[in-house]
Amino acid sequence: MSVFEAQETVALSIDEVFALSRRVLTGAGLFVPHAEAVARAITAGERDECASHGLYRLPGCVMTIRSGKMSLDAEPVITDASPALVRADARYAYSLLAFERAAPLLAQKAKEVGVAALVINNCFHFSALWPEIEQLTSMGVAALAMTPSHSWVAPAGGRRGLLGTNPIAFGWPRPGPNPYVFDFATSAIARGDMALHDIAGKPIPEGWGVDAEGRPTTNARAALDGAMLTFGGHKGSALSTMIELMAGPLIGDLTSRESMAFDDGAKAAPMHGELILAFDPGLMGGGDAEANAARAEALFAAFADQGARLPSQRRYEARARSLANGVRTPKVLYDQIMALGF
């Protein structure tokens, strides 16, 4: 349920969301291929009713573009590094174009050797991971992605930001148009969702964050100015730390704390790396892909048998609504975007 549900909204078609995003991004100076890649991600967020990764991100994108920290026109450099490794140097631009350029080679390598990795370095990242995962599952591979962010999150038992929101996403290809996909932050909530609570003046649940003095708070602004918390206490903290290591030092890139230091108060999107792993179910499954796919489908069916919602189901239901009826975005946000002047 949206934190903006009681507010006045503006109706937009999916095509209008993309066109508006593209216009704002190019108007701010972003190179067209980058702008279109970012606009596709924003449109996916809005289409799937994930407001924290939709049009809400546009003002922040403009701030990042104007920060002087990022390249607006860098062509990503894709390197075939080994039989199981692709490297993509985003060259201090957004990560999305680098991913789109490298993903086909990643999927090809996974099908040749069973498992392959894509390392994206020197990238600015702000977006959800599920659109990337869905691109890979559409190529017939299972996939796992992870990335750090800025050090907004306190570790279990801590009071100050050290870890990132550190999302992790996984996808499994299925018969039909929709794969099984989950995508979640290892913080108790995505930072964008916390910010939406702040904008709407809505309190946050206990356990989402602490204030600047390290005290528990239900005030979104106090938590944003203090520190967010991981989900699941020490378990979320451990998983978040794993992501810091695997998508940081393991791939030769920054931790969330180093990303925050690089930002140095500019309030741009986090700048770091991303790790994506792809797996070929046919090759890894010993050659009986049909039987293994049936085993997976039986697992998914067992969710429905007991009335449980399969992760990703809500997103696909939202997608169907949006494709049929368009979306509604808060007028206060729409007016903010239009006031950018592009």
Side-chain angles (χ1 to χ4, degrees), residues 14-338:
I14 298 301
D15 288 343
E16 287 173 332
V17 172
F18 177 81
L20 174 60
S21 301
R22 186 187 187 280
R23 185 174 81 243
V24 168
L25 293 165
T26 55
L30 197 60
F31 186 48
V32 169
H34 283 291
E36 292 182 344
V38 172
R40 282 189 284 272
I42 289 173
T43 302
E46 203 67 33
R47 177 202 63 197
D48 289 2
E49 296 182 4
C50 295
S52 62
H53 290 85
L55 290 171
Y56 160 76
R57 294 286 177 166
L58 269 180
C61 288
V62 172
M63 184 179 295
T64 297
I65 290 167
R66 291 173 169 172
S67 70
K69 294 284 186 177
M70 74 178 302
S71 170
L72 307 185
D73 61 358
E75 282 284 342
V77 177
I78 312 302
T79 304
D80 186 340
S82 82
L85 177 63
V86 184
R87 301 197 75 98
D89 184 354
R91 299 174 62 210
Y92 298 93
Y94 276 124
S95 63
L96 295 158
L97 185 62
F99 172 82
E100 290 183 358
R101 298 274 179 87
L105 181 57
L106 171 65
Q108 175 188 323
K109 285 182 176 294
K111 291 176 180 180
E112 290 172 351
V113 300
V115 58
L118 167 58
V119 169
I120 304 178
N121 291 118
N122 305 316
C123 67
F124 283 81
H125 195 283
F126 75 95
S127 58
L129 294 173
W130 89 81
E132 298 178 359
I133 292 294
E134 285 194 30
Q135 287 183 54
L136 291 169
T137 57
S138 71
M139 299 175 192
V141 296
L144 181 69
M146 63 193 75
T147 181
S149 60
H150 279 336
S151 52
W152 292 308
V153 182
R159 298 183 300 167
R160 296 186 299 277
L162 173 63
L163 306 171
T165 53
N166 294 7
I168 186 169
F170 172 78
W172 178 270
R174 301 183 64 190
N178 296 327
Y180 168 80
V181 176
F182 72 72
D183 178 0
F184 57 81
T186 51
S187 50
I189 191 69
R191 190 167 180 85
D193 286 316
M194 181 91 78
L196 290 178
H197 278 74
D198 178 43
I199 293 170
K202 184 177 179 180
I204 60 173
E206 292 184 6
W208 279 18
V210 294
D211 65 18
E213 303 301 319
R215 298 171 299 204
T217 184
T218 59
N219 182 285
R221 174 44 51 188
L224 289 168
D225 291 339
M228 302 171 68
L229 297 174
T230 61
F231 79 85
H234 67 281
K235 295 181 180 180
S237 186
L239 184 59
S240 182
T241 304
M242 180 199 76
I243 293 168
E244 290 280 346
L245 296 171
M246 291 189 69
L250 179 67
I251 64 170
D253 222 308
L254 304 185
T255 63
S256 295
R257 185 168 62 168
E258 290 171 320
S259 175
M260 186 73 90
F262 175 88
D263 185 77
D264 194 25
K267 297 185 178 180
M271 202 294 296
H272 43 64
E274 180 180 356
L275 174 64
I276 306 102
L277 304 175
F279 312 87
D280 179 58
L283 191 54
M284 293 194 73
D288 197 347
E290 186 174 337
N292 289 327
R295 186 174 291 119
E297 290 304 309
L299 173 64
F300 297 143
F303 276 74
D305 288 345
Q306 58 180 285
R309 188 184 75 183
L310 190 66
S312 67
Q313 180 179 329
R314 182 216 62 80
R315 191 162 58 247
Y316 298 137
E317 291 169 352
R319 185 176 303 179
R321 287 192 297 269
S322 297
L323 292 174
N325 306 314
V327 302
R328 303 198 70 89
T329 194
K331 188 175 185 300
V332 63
L333 173 61
Y334 182 79
D335 289 345
Q336 182 185 2
I337 293 169
M338 298 307 291

